[in-house]
């Protein structure tokens, strides 16, 4: 049996260090906004090669608070990928603004820069670029459009911790970036967690207030803020795991290379990597018109598999009241994509098992 993602196995190499880190926090008697969060913020900022990191409660809040900090709200529009996890859209909705979907590039599934300008109006305030499956979006093109139109570029880096685009780490490719540390992400906590990275001093100050009731000095509230904080235990765990993130990402790359090699002549569409980009393979997403047959075969062989994502955001019940343009490519992708198990711990033997099931079951 191969699970889609075995989080216990993922964290097993760090078990002793994680337990020690948790015990330290327990013994400290300080559990919210303390030394662990401050240290993690410094370490993650330095890892992402940016000036600031602000820990928050989760990835959705990270994106939502960035929009709030920029004063984006009712009457504003934000360009989002049509093909993404719902959180990208929800962040915009929660800020009171309108998500304006743009179709993906067929070969990377990331937002297609050539379609962005047509979606920009006088109300557009920002573009959220998602680095889907761990592959950075086409940021040069996105930034060029944004600067021409004087709008912000926000990265949704929830699937791409450590990835690089033309040498620059994600988290430093736009005006600000939102990260998630949900347990299954490339850098995962043992619960919820998130962070924002930015080089903008003013934005960082605004975010430190927004995450903590609008307050820097206890009981002095400058703005109507939120309660969205990374807690000390999760920060201590993340400090342990951050030390191994590059090593884990290298292992993911090796597993991805094995898949690409073993499936190269199979009649499926394999993921493609942009030139000058170092993806971190959060997901291994293949495409096939025979998806249901492959799903059945994988299930039969006791191999975990998922679809990211089975229903496009604009077709979700949550967004049924809005009217959306036709988003044909996103709808087509939702019916063809299939995510295979990928993790740093996967052995060549296990990748072989998965690849063999795929190859044998294509007609
Ligand atoms: C996981 C994820 C998020 C949200 O992160 P949470 O911590 O679960 O709130 C946002 N965007 C993308 C693309 C994600 O994969």
């Amino acid at each position: 049996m191969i699970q889609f993602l075995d989080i216990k196995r993922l964290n097993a190499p760090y078990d002793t260090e994680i337990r020690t880190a948790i015990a330290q926090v327990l013994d400290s008697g300080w559990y919210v906004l303390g030394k662990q969060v401050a240290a993690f913020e410094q370490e993650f900022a330095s890892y992402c090669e940016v000036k600031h990191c602000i820990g928050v409660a989760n990835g959705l809040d990270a994106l939502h608070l960035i929009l709030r900090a920029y004063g984006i709200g009712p009457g504003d529009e934000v360009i989002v990928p049509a093909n993404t996890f719902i959180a990208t859209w929800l962040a915009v909705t929660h800020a009171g603004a309108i998500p304006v979907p743009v179709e993906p590039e067929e070969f990377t599934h990331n937002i297609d820069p050539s379609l962005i300008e047509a979606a920009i109006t006088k109300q557009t305030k920002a573009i959220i670029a998602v680095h889907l499956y761990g592959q950075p979006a086409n940021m040069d093109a996105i930034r060029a459009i944004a600067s021409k139109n004087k709008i912000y570029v926000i990265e949704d880096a929830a699937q791409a911790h450590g990835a690089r685009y033309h040498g620059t780490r994600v988290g430093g490719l736009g005006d600000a970036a939102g990260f998630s540390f949900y347990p299954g992400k490339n850098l995962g906590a043992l619960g919820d967690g998130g962070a924002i990275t930015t080089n903008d001093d003013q934005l960082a100050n605004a975010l430190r207030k927004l995450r903590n009731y609008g307050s820097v000095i206890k009981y002095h509230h400058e703005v109507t803020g939120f309660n969205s904080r990374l807690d000390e235990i999760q920060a201590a765990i993340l400090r342990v795991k951050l030390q191994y993130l590059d090593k884990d990402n290298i292992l993911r790359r090796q597993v991805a290379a094995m898949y690409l090699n073993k499936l190269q002549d199979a009649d499926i569409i394999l993921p493609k990597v942009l030139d000058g980009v170092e993806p971190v393979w959060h997901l291994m997403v293949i495409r096939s018109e025979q998806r249901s047959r492959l799903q059945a075969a994988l299930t039969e062989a006791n191999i975990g598999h998922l679809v990211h994502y089975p229903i496009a955001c604009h077709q979700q019940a949550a967004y049924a009241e809005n009217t959306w343009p036709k988003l044909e490519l996103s709808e087509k992708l939702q019916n063809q994509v299939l995510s295979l198990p990928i993790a740093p711990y996967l052995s060549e033997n296990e990748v072989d098992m998965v690849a063999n099931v795929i190859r044998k079951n294509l007609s």
Side-chain angles (χ1 to χ4, degrees), residues 275-324:
D275 281 343
V277 156
E278 277 177 44
V280 290
W281 299 98
H282 176 60
L283 297 171
M284 166 58 64
V285 178
I286 63 168
R287 252 177 86 189
S288 171
E289 284 175 22
Q290 302 177 56
R291 181 175 75 185
S292 50
R293 195 181 160 128
L294 296 177
Q295 287 170 307
L298 289 167
T299 303
E300 176 69 27
N302 261 314
I303 294 169
H305 54 88
L306 286 173
V307 169
H308 296 91
Y309 296 91
I311 305 171
C313 296
H314 68 288
Q315 294 182 318
Q316 295 284 352
Y319 284 109
E321 281 170 22
N322 308 59
T323 45
W324 303 107

Side-chain angles (χ1 to χ4, degrees), residues 167-185:
T168 305
R169 286 258 202 220
V170 309
L173 291 166
D175 295 292
F179 285 88
S180 163
F181 305 123
Y182 183 74
K185 307 288 187 182

Side-chain angles (χ1 to χ4, degrees), residues 58-61 63 84-85 87-88 130 132 156 158-159 180-182 185 192-193 309:
N58 53 62
L60 170 58
D61 282 5
L63 296 169
T84 182
F85 179 57
T88 318
V130 181
L132 205 63
D156 179 340
Q159 301 189 357
S180 163
F181 305 123
Y182 183 74
K185 307 288 187 182
D192 279 309
Y309 296 91

